[in-house]
Amino acid sequence: MQCSKCRRDAVIYQRYSGLHLCEQHFNRDFEAKAKRAIREHRWIASGDTVAVALSGGKDSSAVLYFLHKLLRERRDVRLMAITVDEGISGYRDPARARAIAENIGVPWMTASFQNEYGITLDEIVGRKGTNLSCSYCGVLRRALMNRLAREHGVTKFACGFNLDDEAQSVLEHVLRGDPDRLTRPMREVEGMVPRIKPFMYIPEREVALYSFLHVEGFDLAGCPYAGDVLQGDVREILDEYTSRHPATKYALVNLGEALREPERVTGEGLRVCEKCGERLSGRQEFEHRKVGDATVGTTGVRAPQGAKPCGRVCRTCQILDEMWEF
């Protein structure tokens, strides 16, 4: 099949647009969508240090390649990659991520659950089972990434979330009957490095193709502990429905954005964990429990000015307490 814009052989057919695209026109279309997302959300500005959360998979590798191509001529924006090793046997080898970053020409650093928390995800699963493995991993990973980002002057975190991920998230909140998550404002919170998602308007299959065209050595394996029943069902339902109605995922992402309004939260009145001094996010505040014997220790050290101890521990400290049976 020939490209709809020229006579070259097409490499992809976009059902939602009705276009067959060759490699050249696919790259132009792909990068234009990513640039539009960055421009509309004003995600990158002069003076920013952008860190890609590089797992070594197709999505994060594609984000790193794209941002390097976009920013390599700019002297006012710095780009780097950060990899977190959760400690999952046979999965997410940091050496693979390092090779990808070095081949693209981007500075790279890594950290691990073992060095930071003294425990791996494999050990957590061994103690607590697989039911909450994604929840535990997500909380610990976010906390570690945020700390690393602040220590290295990172102002924006670039993630590989794509259109499928965003649409699935919106539909999950609907099926869970969770209006708070659907309408939660998009916040910039002092002490928390904001995330940007350049590929949020690009389907997963196109991100995969972009990776195959431009990146060598990325990992296609999925996490062995990723087994959330609702997530799997939602993805299956969404893919099946989208096969008949190609614009469905775009409609869901647009709905999710329409239900949220930007909001900036300052340090005034914010709360911090009594144990580690980290600022409590809105999500963490919902999950927190009060503790009477919390060790004040470093309270307020990492939190923005004006934040106050609240007699609670953050979800990260709570998980670690459970692991070590404090």
Side-chain angles (χ1 to χ4, degrees):
M1 189 65 67
Q2 289 186 335
C3 176
S4 301
K5 296 179 180 291
C6 67
R7 295 183 178 181
R8 300 184 183 91
D9 290 337
V11 296
I12 193 170
Y13 172 60
Q14 296 177 331
R15 293 189 67 247
Y16 57 88
S17 70
L19 296 176
H20 293 86
L21 297 176
C22 65
E23 180 176 340
Q24 179 179 345
H25 284 105
F26 165 72
N27 285 328
R28 289 180 183 177
D29 179 76
F30 183 99
E31 293 170 1
K33 290 173 182 172
K35 290 176 183 177
R36 177 171 66 88
I38 293 173
R39 183 172 61 252
E40 288 182 352
H41 293 85
R42 299 179 180 180
W43 273 334
I44 298 178
S46 179
D48 272 337
T49 294
V50 181
V52 174
L54 182 64
S55 68
K58 67 181 190 308
D59 296 327
S60 61
S61 299
V63 168
L64 185 65
Y65 174 85
F66 165 74
L67 288 178
H68 178 254
K69 182 177 180 180
L70 178 68
L71 302 173
R72 61 189 173 189
E73 301 299 328
R74 293 186 59 170
R75 296 184 178 181
D76 60 333
V77 178
R78 187 164 66 98
L79 180 65
M80 63 182 297
I82 298 178
T83 300
V84 169
D85 179 9
E86 300 91 344
I88 304 174
S89 180
Y91 174 69
R92 194 169 287 174
D93 181 4
R96 185 188 298 270
R98 178 177 182 175
I100 291 171
E102 289 180 347
N103 288 339
I104 293 174
V106 175
W108 175 85
M109 65 165 296
T110 187
S112 70
F113 280 14
Q114 180 64 60
N115 290 338
E116 177 69 15
Y117 303 125
I119 193 170
T120 66
L121 190 60
D122 282 342
E123 292 171 328
I124 292 175
V125 170
R127 299 181 187 187
K128 307 296 289 188
T130 60
N131 289 341
L132 294 175
S133 58
C134 290
S135 296
Y136 290 146
C137 181
V139 171
L140 297 178
R141 179 181 169 82
R142 280 191 297 270
L144 179 53
M145 293 284 277
N146 195 66
R147 183 181 65 77
L148 289 172
R150 291 200 310 268
E151 289 177 354
H152 289 82
V154 173
T155 57
K156 303 287 173 58
F157 247 131
C159 303
F161 293 155
N162 54 54
L163 178 75
D164 296 56
D165 297 325
E166 293 293 306
Q168 179 181 322
S169 177
V170 173
L171 187 55
E172 280 183 31
H173 298 330
V174 171
L175 295 179
R176 292 183 193 273
D178 191 346
D180 292 335
R181 295 294 294 276
L182 274 172
T183 59
R184 177 179 295 163
M186 295 177 287
R187 296 178 173 179
E188 291 186 16
V189 181
E190 292 183 24
M192 305 293 290
V193 179
R195 293 187 301 176
I196 67 174
K197 298 173 280 190
F199 294 169
M200 67 177 296
Y201 300 132
I202 303 176
E204 183 177 27
R205 66 190 292 263
E206 295 184 25
V207 176
L209 176 57
Y210 191 78
S211 294
F212 275 111
L213 292 175
H214 300 293
V215 183
E216 294 183 1
F218 63 85
D219 192 2
L220 285 172
C223 177
Y225 298 130
D228 185 287
V229 175
L230 180 59
Q231 286 182 354
D233 288 346
V234 168
R235 180 172 289 271
E236 184 177 340
I237 292 169
L238 190 53
D239 286 344
E240 182 180 351
Y241 191 80
T242 303
S243 68
R244 298 192 301 274
H245 306 279
T248 297
K249 293 176 182 178
Y250 285 101
L252 283 170
V253 171
N254 290 336
L255 172 64
E257 290 200 290
L259 291 175
R260 302 187 184 105
E261 294 182 0
E263 178 183 1
R264 180 172 179 80
V265 179
T266 64
E268 184 177 356
L270 297 183
R271 299 175 178 178
V272 298
C273 174
E274 289 281 0
K275 281 201 168 184
C276 68
E278 287 285 355
R279 184 261 189 254
L280 308 187
S281 69
R283 179 185 301 177
Q284 286 175 326
E285 294 221 14
F286 179 77
E287 297 173 326
H288 283 178
R289 57 179 172 82
K290 291 186 177 180
V291 290
D293 59 347
T295 303
V296 175
T298 59
T299 297
V301 173
R302 300 173 183 168
Q305 186 175 5
K308 301 176 181 178
C310 63
R312 297 181 180 181
V313 293
C314 67
R315 183 60 175 149
T316 302
C317 291
Q318 182 180 348
I319 289 174
L320 295 175
D321 285 355
E322 291 176 6
M323 294 306 108
W324 299 111
E325 299 181 349
F326 282 2

